[in-house]
Amino acid sequence: MKLSNITSEALIFLDQEWRTKEEVFDGLIDALYKQEVLDDPSEFKKAVLERETISETGLEKGFAIPHGKSKTVRKAAFAFARLNSPIPDWKSIDPTNKVQYIFLLAIPEAEAGSTHLELLAELSKRLLHEDFITAITKTRTVPEFLVALDKETIDNTEGEYTRKIVAITACAAGIAHTYMAAEALELAGKELGIQVIVEKQGANGIENRITPEILKGAEAVIFATDIAAKDKHRFKGLPYIQRRVAEPLRSGKEMIETVLSKPDGHVKDEDDSSVSPDEGKSSFLSQIYRGILTGISYMLPVIVAGGLMIGIAQLGAAAFGLEKVIGEPKFATDSNQLIVIFHYLGLYGNMIMKFMYPVFGAFLAYSIADRPGLAPGFISGAFAAGLHYTFWGTEGGIPSGFLGVLILATIAGFVAKFLNEKIHLHKNLQAMKPMFIIPGVTVLVIFLVNFYFVDPVFGQLNLWLQDLIIQNKDASAVVLSTIIACLTAFDLGGPVNKAAGAIAIGLAADHIFPLTARVLAIVIPPIGIGLATVLDKYIVRRRVFDENLRVAGTTSIFLGFIAIGEGAIPFMLQNPLITIPLNMIGASLGAVTAVSLGAVQWLPLPAIWGWPLVENFWAYAIGLIVGIGFITFSNIFVRYALIKRKENKTK
């Protein structure tokens, strides 16, 4: 690939006086805009700044490769700046790096998996060659610079290989550092006369996969990764070392010599001992947090799919003037086939939602213990979803919900990990460990914890909440509305929510207290937090939610309007200490506002098609706006403050 084909003289700036990262971005982005690479420079700048929060774009020897992908980019291109004075506070993989040479890449969103990676890979690899660095740093004119871009790098280290090792590189973003580490190891190997074959596990999947044929004759394996490497079991028996992805850039030759003379250990089946020093020292809470993020990413499709099926069913029912078709047996045999389809489609969506916690639990435990944690984690989620009550025929059982799955799946992961690391069997009995001992012991532990702790605790909690509402049923409308709204918003469809719902519906059936607070508290949290994922970039000029949660946010808004609170569960699982209190406060503010202004809803119809049946809808609408607004803005500002505090600590 000719790098000069994706830039131009108007995009090259030599010997500039820009002194801050902000000035560099503004100057280069303005040039890209003037060359009609961008439609909206401000939108592209947001994408670049968002990328800066993921991981360092500064490299070493004065270089940085910031980049952004966005719909506003018309065609892939890059701009370059060479500064007269370096920028010392640019975050780099080399802490001593003072950035003076900046390549800013603009990538169309549609090309994020192709041109994006090819450009970064090519630039990253060339920046490890001294002749390329010299050429682009010493050129005096822009035409000379363009010629230097395409100058082939000279490899003076080629020689006969006497030995062979393999390696895997992977960084958090799966882009520049992955390729630079790979190139650094290969170059270091050539200098030592050792062939290093590197598999890159990046944003574009696995590249240059190490096959059994390639492994023949390999003496060792290097894992230069910031995330868990995939399929480590391929290297069973090989000596290995585990290092950070940036390490080869500083000490590639030392790493090769170390893995051949003083390895960390030997790779065992199921990755028993292939634990990096960083992973081994990581805190208990950090392991849980990584597990939660992993579980959320795999759980999201379940929520989206289930919510979509329920939404179609409920919208279909509304089209026929029905309040609902789900859970009404008479609709299963209705003469109108469409109503029958909507009925079963709704049941299908409910069935899919039942697997939300099992999938989350499986991958939370998998993140902690690898494959040995997968099955016990799934079973932990089944307990949390209350599937055991269904199979055991237990009526009135209370699912433990998101708190239950967090407790049980975390225990499952650490128990499976402990057993996998501590149990050592004769080679003829090794198959018993992953197939019999680990799953058998772990699920037994999960059963006992659930039987003696999780289910009883949540059962008592449910009874306490019922008593709380009953004892306050004669309290003022504000107090009772606050209690009902708080409990409804607490766990978004979980046992606490259901306990509040059972009591609130009973009070409404006896015409003691209307359902206004209850129905508002169902829809306010999912709509509010969903809007936060859309508005954050406009309110604080940056994204405060990661990509997975932005997808969840869009779904949450839709599900909120049809009264499905589960769309906001991923936010609660990732940051319960933030999300739960804000949900409860927002729901309470909205409910109290509406009730105080005179809104009344006696029917259990929280979805949008039930809103016309509310007495004094204007008051109801004001309550909605107050509650949704609080949750939206409080989530944005609280998360933004936490991000800024974290950034300030790293400076």
Side-chain angles (χ1 to χ4, degrees):
M1 172 185 289
K2 279 195 171 186
L3 295 178
S4 62
N5 289 342
I6 48 177
T7 189
S8 66
E9 290 190 6
L11 296 176
I12 309 300
F13 297 85
L14 303 181
D15 306 317
Q16 290 294 308
E17 291 296 335
W18 296 326
R19 297 186 180 277
T20 66
K21 183 189 287 190
E22 190 83 7
E23 288 182 6
V24 172
F25 286 163
D26 287 342
L28 296 182
I29 291 172
D30 182 62
L32 289 166
Y33 176 65
K34 289 178 179 177
Q35 292 302 303
E36 299 184 344
V37 175
L38 313 172
D39 287 325
D40 186 343
S42 61
E43 189 67 24
F44 177 67
K45 184 178 179 180
K46 291 175 187 175
V48 173
L49 292 175
E50 182 181 342
R51 172 60 186 83
E52 290 292 300
T53 65
I54 298 175
S55 62
E56 307 93 335
T57 56
L59 305 174
E60 60 175 0
K61 299 179 181 178
F63 283 89
I65 312 181
H67 46 282
K69 57 180 179 178
S70 173
K71 292 179 181 178
T72 193
V73 180
R74 293 183 179 182
K75 58 184 178 181
F78 72 82
F80 173 80
R82 186 173 72 196
L83 309 180
N84 288 330
S85 302
I87 300 175
D89 59 348
W90 197 305
K91 291 182 182 178
S92 304
I93 57 175
D94 178 0
T96 65
N97 187 43
K98 295 182 179 181
V99 172
Q100 195 169 0
Y101 313 101
I102 302 102
F103 288 92
L104 175 61
L105 278 66
I107 310 298
E109 196 167 84
E111 295 185 36
S114 54
T115 307
H116 190 191
L117 298 183
E118 290 175 17
L119 273 175
L120 282 169
E122 189 66 26
L123 273 175
S124 301
K125 290 187 289 186
R126 292 197 189 187
L127 287 173
L128 291 172
H129 293 267
E130 288 297 332
D131 54 333
F132 180 76
I133 291 174
T134 301
I136 63 175
T137 56
K138 301 300 183 183
T139 52
R140 296 181 179 180
T141 66
V142 171
E144 287 179 10
F145 179 88
L146 293 175
V147 172
L149 277 177
D150 297 328
K151 186 178 179 181
E152 291 295 327
T153 54
I154 300 172
D155 187 358
N156 294 318
T157 60
E158 194 68 50
E160 292 294 326
Y161 293 122
T162 57
R163 310 175 76 176
K164 179 171 78 171
I165 66 172
V166 293
I168 290 179
T169 60
C171 63
I175 309 177
H177 303 165
T178 299
Y179 295 96
M180 292 195 76
E183 185 78 359
L185 286 172
E186 290 170 357
L187 291 175
K190 288 177 181 178
E191 290 186 35
L192 296 171
I194 298 171
Q195 184 182 19
V196 183
I197 301 175
V198 186
E199 172 180 302
K200 296 171 278 291
Q201 297 185 359
N204 215 25
I206 294 178
E207 298 180 45
N208 309 114
R209 186 178 184 87
I210 296 171
T211 63
E213 188 65 29
I214 293 173
L215 268 176
K216 289 179 181 178
E219 298 181 42
V221 57
I222 293 173
F223 299 112
T225 65
D226 284 349
I227 58 176
K230 299 174 183 175
D231 299 334
K232 279 187 177 180
H233 58 84
R234 290 173 289 168
F235 310 105
K236 179 182 177 183
L238 283 180
Y240 80 95
I241 61 170
Q242 173 76 61
R243 300 291 186 269
R244 298 294 303 272
V245 72
E247 195 66 24
L249 305 180
R250 294 187 287 265
S251 54
K253 287 192 287 187
E254 290 84 347
M255 288 175 65
I256 294 172
E257 292 168 347
T258 299
V259 78
L260 292 172
S261 58
K262 296 180 181 179
D264 294 347
H266 289 73
V267 180
K268 295 183 179 181
D269 200 16
E270 301 293 340
D271 307 327
D272 298 60
S273 63
S274 297
V275 180
S276 73
D278 291 329
E279 288 174 339
K281 296 176 184 177
S282 61
S283 70
F284 174 76
L285 291 177
S286 67
Q287 292 181 69
I288 295 175
Y289 186 68
R290 285 197 299 269
I292 289 172
L293 295 182
T294 302
I296 288 172
S297 67
Y298 284 98
M299 178 184 72
L300 278 175
V302 179
I303 294 177
V304 173
L308 183 61
M309 297 303 101
I310 295 172
I312 293 173
Q314 292 189 348
L315 290 172
F320 283 99
L322 303 172
E323 292 181 4
K324 65 175 184 176
V325 294
I326 307 170
E328 298 289 339
K330 64 180 181 180
F331 293 123
T333 56
D334 196 275
S335 58
N336 189 323
Q337 191 63 28
L338 274 177
I339 292 178
V340 174
I341 291 295
F342 289 138
H343 168 73
Y344 282 107
L345 198 60
L347 294 178
Y348 178 49
N350 283 341
M351 182 190 77
I352 293 173
M353 285 292 194
K354 287 288 186 182
F355 290 96
M356 172 176 60
Y357 289 133
V359 171
F360 173 83
F363 285 99
L364 190 161
Y366 172 81
S367 175
I368 296 170
D370 209 275
R371 275 187 280 181
L374 199 59
F378 185 89
I379 293 166
S380 299
F383 273 136
L387 294 178
H388 57 306
Y389 294 128
T390 302
F391 294 131
W392 297 346
T394 304
E395 295 185 7
I398 306 159
S400 53
F402 85 96
L403 290 175
V405 74
L406 285 176
I407 296 167
L408 294 172
T410 299
I411 292 173
F414 282 108
V415 169
K417 181 180 181 182
F418 175 82
L419 295 174
N420 198 29
E421 292 174 349
K422 300 301 180 182
I423 295 176
H424 302 284
L425 300 175
H426 187 275
K427 63 179 181 179
N428 294 331
L429 300 175
Q430 284 182 356
M432 292 181 62
K433 186 170 78 168
M435 299 300 294
F436 176 70
I437 298 176
I438 295 176
V441 173
T442 307
V443 299
L444 177 60
V445 170
I446 292 306
F447 169 78
L448 294 174
V449 172
N450 187 71
F451 191 81
Y452 286 107
F453 173 67
V454 174
D455 275 353
V457 165
F458 284 97
Q460 290 302 312
L461 177 63
N462 188 57
L463 291 175
W464 177 77
L465 293 172
Q466 291 184 19
D467 291 341
L468 178 66
I469 298 176
I470 292 172
Q471 290 170 9
N472 288 276
K473 69 179 182 179
D474 296 325
S476 70
V478 170
V479 172
L480 190 53
S481 295
T482 301
I483 294 173
I484 292 173
C486 279
L487 299 183
T488 298
F490 175 76
D491 57 356
L492 304 171
V496 177
N497 175 295
K498 287 181 169 58
I503 300 301
I505 290 172
L507 293 174
D510 294 336
H511 223 72
I512 296 173
F513 192 75
L515 284 166
T516 316
R518 165 73 179 173
V519 294
L520 278 165
I522 290 174
V523 300
I524 285 174
I527 296 176
I529 203 163
L531 278 177
T533 66
V534 175
L535 298 179
D536 56 352
K537 63 180 181 180
Y538 303 108
I539 304 300
V540 294
R541 298 289 183 179
R542 69 184 298 174
R543 294 289 196 180
V544 299
F545 298 91
D546 62 35
E547 190 171 350
N548 277 338
L549 290 185
R550 292 203 296 274
V551 173
T554 304
T555 303
S556 185
I557 295 172
F558 166 71
L559 295 181
F561 277 104
I562 60 174
I564 300 174
E566 283 83 351
I569 283 179
F571 301 88
M572 187 168 61
L573 287 168
Q574 183 167 330
N575 298 101
L577 295 180
I578 296 174
T579 308
I580 294 174
L582 295 183
N583 281 349
M584 294 171 69
I585 295 170
S588 299
L589 286 173
V592 168
T593 299
V595 170
S596 299
L597 292 175
V600 177
Q601 170 64 299
W602 289 101
L603 300 173
L605 297 174
I608 190 170
W609 47 81
W611 297 357
L613 302 177
V614 177
E615 298 175 27
N616 295 322
F617 178 73
W618 64 271
Y620 189 88
I622 292 174
L624 270 175
I625 293 170
V626 168
I628 290 170
F630 174 83
I631 291 177
T632 298
F633 290 102
S634 62
N635 268 282
I636 291 172
F637 289 124
V638 169
R639 292 166 192 268
Y640 177 70
L642 292 174
I643 290 172
K644 295 297 291 183
R645 187 173 70 177
K646 183 178 179 181
E647 289 177 348
N648 291 334
K649 284 183 178 180
T650 59
K651 288 183 178 179

